[in-house]
Amino acid sequence: PPACSVGEANAHRYKGENAFPFILQNLHRYFLYVALIFLIILWYDAIHAFWFNGSFGIGIGSLVLLANIVLLSFYTISCHSLRHIVGGKVDCFSCVNFGGARHSAWRSASFLNEHHMLFAWMSLFSVGLSDLYIRLVASGAIQDLRIL
């Protein structure tokens, strides 16, 4: 410590997340950015699934795709990396620009982060089931039922 009259025997060697192996933790944050791009594409597909021959309609397939993207979105926004993006590097929310909004976003992300594993399992099963349903419809094994 600076106030201590005796110096430390060894220099600090800890470099945080800037040296191996901890730099690999940053990969998680970069994969989040890639996942956000895929979410945009999947949201487009899910919304597009509600249009049949130029008119609005609802089918089992469109509901399956909607449930899939909602669960994937909850899984993604509950990630601790996203929580760090909205509220990280801030020690005092009232001392920064948009502090109230950032604090609200951080609290929401923190609440969702508590259920991250639940969203992981739910989205895992929804991806598998939606892929199976689409494959069966595409192969002609079953027919997509229209509700509206």
Side-chain angles (χ1 to χ4, degrees):
C4 185
S5 62
V6 179
E8 293 187 38
N10 296 328
H12 291 293
R13 294 185 190 145
Y14 179 69
K15 305 224 189 267
E17 292 182 3
N18 297 324
F20 186 79
F22 298 115
I23 198 160
L24 296 176
Q25 292 177 344
N26 291 328
L27 290 176
H28 192 81
R29 192 171 306 127
Y30 300 134
F31 281 119
L32 172 70
Y33 302 143
V34 174
L36 291 173
I37 293 169
F38 279 104
L39 279 182
I40 292 169
I41 295 167
L42 290 172
W43 269 108
Y44 174 79
D45 287 342
I47 292 169
H48 191 263
F50 284 95
W51 294 96
F52 298 94
N53 299 326
S55 63
F56 181 78
I58 299 175
I60 299 296
S62 52
L63 294 176
V64 166
L65 288 178
L66 180 65
N68 181 43
I69 189 58
V70 165
L71 290 172
L72 281 172
S73 296
F74 273 114
Y75 172 61
T76 304
I77 63 174
S78 69
C79 179
H80 67 276
S81 291
L82 188 73
R83 180 177 169 252
H84 178 74
I85 290 171
V86 296
K89 296 186 180 180
V90 176
D91 292 329
C92 174
F93 283 106
S94 63
C95 303
V96 296
N97 293 335
F98 307 106
R102 287 182 72 181
H103 185 255
S104 295
W106 178 79
R107 271 196 354 233
S108 299
S110 297
F111 172 76
L112 291 174
N113 184 251
E114 294 174 8
H115 306 288
H116 186 61
M117 187 55 65
L118 173 66
F119 295 135
W121 282 106
M122 290 172 64
S123 64
L124 177 71
F125 286 115
S126 75
V127 167
L129 290 175
S130 59
D131 283 350
L132 176 65
Y133 185 81
I134 291 169
R135 174 122 174 114
L136 290 173
V137 170
S139 69
I142 62 172
Q143 200 170 18
D144 187 27
L145 297 174
R146 297 273 307 266
I147 298 171
L148 178 70

